[in-house]
Amino acid sequence: MADGKRKMVKCLVCGAVFEEGNEVCPVCGVGSENFVPYEEEEKNFRKDTEELYLILGNGAAGVSAAEAIRERNSTCSIVMVTKEDCLPYSRPMLTKSVMGKDEREELLLHDPAWYEERRILNLTGKRAEKIDTREKEVTFDDGIRLKYDKCIYALGSECFIPPIPGNEKEEVVAIRRLSDIEKINSLLSKSKRAVVIGGGVLGLEAAWELKRAGLSVAILEQGSQLMKRQLDEEAGEFLKGLILEKGIEVKFQAATREIEGEDRVSGVRLEDDTILPADLVVISAGVRANVSLAEDAGAKSGRAVIVNQHMETTVPGIYACGDCAEYEGINYAIWPQAVEMGKAAGANAAGERISYKTITAALTFNGMDTSLFAVGDPGKDPGKTYEIRREEDKDKKVLKAYYHESGKLVGAILIGDTSDMGRILEEIE
Ligand SMILES: Cc1cc2nc3c(=O)[nH]c(=O)nc-3n(C[C@H](O)[C@H](O)[C@H](O)COP(=O)(O)OP(=O)(O)OC[C@H]3O[C@@H](n4cnc5c(N)ncnc54)[C@H](O)[C@@H]3O)c2cc1C
């Protein structure tokens, strides 16, 4: 380019920003019709120091923080540590068309050269165990201790596993890491029937991937609706219809009593004594933020580690971001939020004073031969009065619902035709 600036685009679906030219989003895998031009903000702040920045966690938040620090400080040391055995990768892709495939390399966010150029040191296979705020050092499970001047706490979250008897069996998997998908892949050839516990978006994505891998699949949902957080009742029903058409069973009010089987999983027993035969069980029951290390170090937490607009925790020198951080009571635990919080944490740790701007909670689902987009508030606050506009075309398998409050669009659901999502997102934002 004439002015030397890279041409960037932003994925409207996951919020990732990357160089123009990709056919699909490297983070969430949607096509280029979902990209809009993105103007990178000028970063004028510079402060070169000899400080050591220790980043715990190498997910979206950790990597974004590392990049933000290096953009402002060219001489400091940046060390990023994870307990996983790989470089940062696209976690959202785990439930999007990687089942049955070995795609380790393809999922990486950046190749090793990217980190080398920026002198960001990646340490893998090390679990952080303790933060000593007096000595300003972190101890890892292999006994090593690393000093820091500033610490970025970006340990993300873990899958919540309900205390169902039998949940420790080998063929029971909750998908959070690459290793979970690799485990599922190793079980696929021995499996015919899968039960997915949880009817949220990740459960549905997993169910679709398992179906595409040739298994017969049942989804168990404890409540009375699919994707209850993001859809209204009508949209939930509509989606259920599309899923049933694909030959996937859906059971509501399905409380699991036990995952049965002697040597191997044989089925899932419900509270009403129904047994669903299964040789593979995927649990998708939400996530819990990794807060304990920060709490032990004295940081205040709610659902996650509490941060102010600069991503500072209540412990000086420790910043938190991503799935493990909570700002103004909100922790959506979605990719764009982790990225934006990571950028803000990195910038502030590097000495600039910027404020994190909350993002609009938007979600897409591409599976079951349909596409779905849900954003904002689809009428979930009983204290509010909404005006609702709904369009439905059963033949075309399209449903659209728009929620307005005091004349303003506050939420929308699109199923079957998501072409309008860019405009909707802009209007809501
Ligand atoms: C299957 C799946 C699909 C998803 N799909 C979408 C989607 O479509 N759209 C969307 O917006 N979001 C999606 N998400 C959510 C999104 O991936 C997360 O919000 C995002 O990855 C959070 O990034 P993070 O950096 O905060 O945490 P993480 O990505 O969880 O990174 C934290 C890192 O810290 C490491 N770690 C944890 N504890 C320790 C320790 N004690 N010591 C050392 N390392 C440790 C972890 O191993 C991990 O590498 C999905 C998540 C999953 C699991």
Side-chain angles (χ1 to χ4, degrees):
M1 280 182 67
D3 61 1
K5 265 174 84 179
R6 298 177 296 169
K7 262 195 172 174
M8 307 298 280
V9 290
K10 179 175 179 172
C11 172
L12 286 174
V13 174
C14 71
V17 174
F18 43 90
E19 270 184 69
E20 190 183 55
N22 285 20
E23 290 286 303
V24 293
C25 171
V27 172
C28 69
V30 297
S32 56
E33 66 281 6
N34 300 294
F35 306 164
V36 289
Y38 180 81
E39 214 35 59
E40 269 190 300
E41 270 176 42
E42 287 287 332
K43 293 171 192 93
N44 297 318
F45 182 89
R46 291 279 180 285
K47 189 178 174 196
D48 291 340
T49 68
E50 297 306 312
E51 287 170 308
L52 173 59
Y53 289 82
L54 181 59
I55 301 175
L56 302 178
N58 76 350
V63 178
S64 304
E67 188 173 14
I69 294 167
R70 182 56 80 216
E71 281 165 350
R72 291 162 177 82
N73 187 336
S74 60
T75 50
C76 66
S77 304
I78 305 176
V79 180
M80 194 158 54
V81 196
T82 179
K83 64 182 178 185
E84 289 184 74
D85 66 352
C86 46
L87 288 177
Y89 59 90
S90 167
R91 207 170 292 289
M93 286 303 277
L94 294 181
T95 39
K96 299 169 186 71
S97 76
V98 296
M99 265 180 215
K101 300 177 200 156
D102 176 10
E103 297 215 338
R104 241 176 197 251
E105 298 295 311
E106 283 74 10
L107 292 185
L108 292 182
L109 292 182
H110 304 292
D111 59 23
W114 189 90
Y115 300 97
E116 276 161 33
E117 278 160 25
R118 287 162 183 75
R119 285 167 292 114
I120 297 168
L121 178 65
N122 273 286
L123 297 180
T124 58
K126 292 189 190 306
R127 178 194 299 270
E129 290 195 324
K130 186 170 177 272
I131 304 172
D132 181 338
T133 51
R134 227 163 46 107
E135 294 297 324
K136 287 195 147 189
E137 72 179 16
V138 177
T139 308
F140 294 85
D141 57 348
D142 55 3
I144 72 153
R145 285 180 293 180
L146 294 177
K147 291 270 183 201
Y148 66 83
D149 292 300
K150 308 260 175 64
C151 176
I152 309 279
Y153 188 91
L155 292 183
S157 51
E158 306 292 335
C159 293
F160 170 64
I161 312 285
I164 304 165
N167 66 12
E168 74 295 344
K169 293 188 192 328
E170 180 62 16
E171 298 81 17
V172 181
V173 189
I175 305 173
R176 181 73 202 175
R177 308 195 195 294
L178 204 44
S179 52
D180 300 320
I181 286 298
E182 288 170 347
K183 184 174 174 193
I184 290 184
N185 287 348
S186 73
L187 293 168
L188 278 181
S189 61
K190 298 177 231 162
S191 310
K192 289 200 166 61
R193 285 176 296 230
V195 166
V196 175
I197 298 177
V201 64
L202 299 191
L204 301 188
E205 286 183 344
W208 178 236
E209 289 305 311
L210 291 165
K211 178 77 186 164
R212 292 204 315 158
L215 277 68
S216 79
V217 181
I219 300 168
L220 304 181
E221 167 54 47
Q222 227 177 352
S224 54
Q225 191 199 307
L226 295 171
M227 288 177 63
K228 194 159 180 144
R229 258 174 66 194
Q230 297 90 6
L231 302 185
D232 60 18
E233 232 177 279
E234 288 84 349
E237 262 309 290
F238 191 84
L239 179 63
K240 183 184 114 186
L242 299 180
I243 293 174
L244 292 177
E245 274 180 24
K246 297 289 140 204
I248 294 176
E249 194 180 343
V250 180
K251 263 187 166 306
F252 290 123
Q253 319 287 7
T256 308
R257 187 194 295 168
E258 191 176 353
I259 300 170
E260 300 192 324
E262 292 294 322
D263 301 333
R264 292 204 48 165
V265 164
S266 60
V268 176
R269 185 185 289 272
L270 304 184
E271 284 299 348
D272 66 4
D273 259 340
T274 313
I275 297 176
L276 288 110
D279 27 37
L280 177 63
V281 175
V282 172
I283 296 184
S284 182
V287 291
R288 296 288 180 274
N290 280 323
V291 293
S292 62
L293 256 72
E295 279 178 348
D296 293 347
K300 247 176 117 176
S301 69
R303 282 177 51 208
V305 180
I306 293 172
V307 290
N308 63 14
Q309 73 271 34
H310 309 303
M311 301 293 107
E312 292 162 328
T313 67
T314 50
V315 178
I318 303 184
Y319 299 74
C321 46
D323 278 16
C324 63
E326 175 182 322
Y327 174 59
E328 291 186 334
I330 296 175
N331 166 260
Y332 296 130
I334 54 174
W335 184 274
Q337 188 183 35
V339 169
E340 292 307 321
M341 280 185 156
K343 285 182 187 171
N348 283 296
E352 194 174 357
R353 209 65 181 154
I354 65 162
S355 294
Y356 167 71
K357 290 183 206 77
T358 48
I359 55 139
T360 309
L363 162 145
T364 57
F365 166 65
N366 289 287
M368 312 287 176
D369 288 333
T370 189
S371 55
L372 180 154
F373 172 72
V375 62
D377 171 16
K380 295 287 171 183
D381 187 341
K384 290 183 178 166
T385 310
Y386 302 91
E387 307 102 55
I388 308 162
R389 185 161 63 82
R390 201 178 290 281
E391 297 164 21
E392 194 173 321
D393 185 331
K394 283 216 162 75
D395 295 334
K396 290 191 177 146
K397 300 181 183 170
V398 170
L399 174 142
K400 297 181 183 182
Y402 302 88
Y403 280 79
H404 290 84
E405 201 203 341
S406 311
K408 270 193 191 156
L409 185 66
V410 291
I413 302 165
L414 307 177
I415 303 180
D417 173 10
T418 54
S419 55
D420 211 14
M421 68 185 177
R423 186 197 61 76
I424 290 174
L425 204 53
E426 264 175 29
E427 192 176 335
I428 288 190
E429 275 179 349

